[in-house]
Amino acid sequence: MRTRREFLQKITYSAMVLPLLPSWQFGSPHIDSEPYEGPVLRVAIMGLGGYGTRVAEAMKACKKAKLAGVVSGTPAKVKEWQSKHQIPEKNCYNYENFDDLKDNPDIDAVYVITPNALHHDQVIRAAKAGKHVICEKPMGLNAKEGEEMVQACKDANVKLLVGYRMHFEPKTLEVVRMRQNGDFGKILFFQGQCGFRIGDPNQWRLDKTLAGGGSLMDIGIYAVNGARYMVGEEPIWVTAQEMKTDPVKFKEGVDETILFQLGFPSGAVSSCLSTYNMNHLDRFFLNGEKGFAEMQPSTGYGPIEGRTHKGKLTQQHITHQTLQMEEMASIILEGKEPVIAVDGEEGLRDLKIIDAIYKSCHTGESVKLV
């Protein structure tokens, strides 16, 4: 297995051996059957790799969002996407000239789906071009970058959203609803396990210059973010430990496995694992005084499977990226408030925790979060 996205796709296929609605076999059903005549968010995807392709395909089922342009450094990919998605030449850009988006009224937003180290500059450039920005997670390499990205979008009066697709996933939202409703009672503990055995040692995810780290920046961010929305609080301290069994593959600054613990104001704690060296890890567990929730797979492309002390979670699966783009269009166009935030401030909170995790790994000490 080579990448997180292959891992997430594989666990998707594993889950799909369970009985499913027929429409799931062919992509996402529409959000509803009612005709839609309102505004549509016209999106340019920046980065035409595997995940960009997945988002583009998922958007075909959207009513409020559509693919309107592309940004890529590979001319052959641009031509392929032009033909496949009927994208006009005037809506196609490369990494050198995409600042010209400022003069293109046919594109409302740019979805940045490039290696982590490129996010900062590309988001700021897109914002200065006057376009709303959706950025894949992690939003930046560290909190300093995140703060600059948030400020640039504020200065340009555009929205900055982060690709937290799980924030719109129906079973995840049901667990959050139950927690908010008091069904679990006082929250005591959260466990997040996120990992797979990564393959190709030459890929960008194992290059600190492009990735900014290792497993934590890639798969571990699901546990960082999940701990926050499952517990429903912001952590106040972090402890963490790093283990490395293959220093050749996982060079200096590229983490293989990290265990980290978070403490919350209420007294709840979380224990999480992020790894590039163990397969079959995609599980969330939430424990409260009155009940529990368990999800496995918890963050794969779906269907998500889960249960609580009240029984199995049965909410319908909708392709995550379809639902994400539909909801993000509502946020940008209509000012809709999501149940779980997906804005730049949300991305910044995760980056501050990631900074603290790395600091704790290096110092061996607990790090306070403010």
Side-chain angles (χ1 to χ4, degrees):
M1 198 173 301
R2 297 177 61 188
T3 70
R4 177 191 76 204
R5 285 165 183 149
E6 289 172 337
F7 161 74
L8 295 172
Q9 188 170 17
K10 183 172 182 179
I11 59 176
T12 293
Y13 292 156
S14 299
M16 288 181 74
V17 301
L18 299 172
L20 302 177
L21 294 176
S23 61
W24 294 355
Q25 300 173 19
F26 307 102
S28 169
H30 284 295
I31 307 303
D32 58 55
S33 58
E34 295 297 320
Y36 177 74
E37 298 180 355
V40 173
L41 185 73
R42 298 162 298 177
V43 181
I45 290 180
M46 180 182 295
L48 309 184
Y51 195 68
T53 298
R54 180 178 289 273
V55 171
E57 290 299 315
M59 285 176 66
K60 291 179 179 179
C62 289
K63 293 182 177 183
K64 297 182 179 181
K66 75 171 185 176
L67 178 63
V70 294
V71 183
S72 174
T74 308
K77 284 186 178 180
V78 173
K79 290 295 183 184
E80 178 186 344
W81 279 55
Q82 270 190 274
S83 175
K84 184 174 183 180
H85 300 285
Q86 292 78 54
I87 299 172
E89 179 72 30
K90 65 183 180 65
N91 290 356
C92 297
Y93 300 86
N94 57 46
Y95 295 128
E96 285 71 45
N97 70 8
F98 77 84
D99 306 273
D100 294 342
L101 279 162
K102 67 180 183 297
D103 300 317
N104 191 335
D106 295 336
I107 294 174
D108 305 308
V110 178
Y111 194 161
V112 177
I113 311 177
T114 54
N116 304 338
L118 306 181
H119 292 178
H120 173 267
D121 290 350
Q122 290 171 343
V123 165
I124 291 175
R125 286 174 64 187
K128 287 182 177 179
K131 305 303 177 182
H132 301 294
V133 190
I134 304 168
C135 182
E136 258 311 303
K137 56 195 178 300
M139 188 174 76
L141 296 185
N142 50 56
K144 181 178 182 296
E145 282 198 354
E147 288 168 350
E148 291 171 355
M149 294 161 77
V150 169
Q151 189 60 51
C153 290
K154 286 181 179 177
D155 291 344
N157 197 30
V158 298
K159 290 188 181 295
L160 171 58
L161 306 181
V162 185
Y164 290 117
R165 58 187 168 82
M166 301 312 300
H167 292 201
F168 307 107
E169 195 281 317
K171 293 184 178 71
T172 300
L173 288 178
E174 175 60 13
V175 172
V176 171
R177 185 200 66 78
M178 290 178 67
R179 189 254 301 154
Q180 292 174 335
N181 195 48
D183 291 355
F184 304 121
K186 178 180 169 61
I187 300 300
L188 304 172
F189 175 71
F190 170 78
Q191 182 180 55
Q193 300 172 332
C194 301
F196 65 97
R197 189 181 293 273
I198 199 167
D200 180 11
N202 298 313
Q203 63 181 280
W204 71 262
R205 287 178 175 81
L206 296 177
D207 181 346
K208 186 180 189 304
T209 303
L210 288 174
S215 69
L216 183 64
M217 297 292 284
D218 184 30
I219 195 75
I221 193 170
Y222 285 98
V224 172
N225 189 250
R228 295 175 48 239
Y229 65 70
M230 294 289 270
V231 173
E233 299 180 62
E234 296 300 325
I236 56 176
W237 58 258
V238 171
T239 55
Q241 307 81 39
E242 180 181 0
M243 287 71 68
K244 188 173 292 190
T245 64
D246 188 347
V248 175
K249 187 173 189 177
F250 303 99
K251 298 178 176 61
E252 180 68 26
V254 179
D255 47 285
E256 174 188 320
T257 299
I258 290 181
L259 290 166
F260 63 92
Q261 303 78 40
L262 305 175
F264 297 88
S266 66
V269 294
S270 71
S271 176
C272 300
L273 171 66
S274 168
T275 184
Y276 268 160
N277 200 31
M278 304 176 208
N279 284 332
H280 318 299
L281 288 176
D282 184 22
R283 177 178 178 268
F284 282 0
F285 178 76
L286 183 69
N287 180 262
E289 288 183 337
K290 297 180 180 179
F292 72 91
E294 181 179 33
M295 306 176 79
Q296 187 175 5
S298 58
T299 63
Y301 291 144
I304 300 302
E305 297 297 327
R307 66 189 180 101
T308 74
H309 61 288
K310 293 188 174 183
K312 184 177 180 179
L313 295 170
T314 58
Q315 288 68 28
Q316 183 187 24
H317 169 70
I318 300 174
T319 298
H320 295 174
Q321 294 79 9
T322 301
L323 196 50
Q324 172 193 322
M325 295 308 297
E326 195 81 345
E327 290 296 308
M328 286 187 166
S330 293
I331 293 169
I332 292 173
L333 297 174
E334 303 165 13
K336 182 175 180 180
E337 291 290 336
V339 175
I340 312 172
V342 292
D343 57 15
E345 296 289 351
E346 177 77 357
L348 178 57
R349 291 183 189 102
D350 280 344
L351 290 176
K352 288 179 177 179
I353 296 169
I354 288 172
D355 284 355
I357 290 172
Y358 281 133
K359 182 178 180 180
S360 182
C361 285
H362 294 149
T363 65
E365 298 177 351
S366 176
V367 177
K368 290 184 179 180
L369 294 163
V370 293

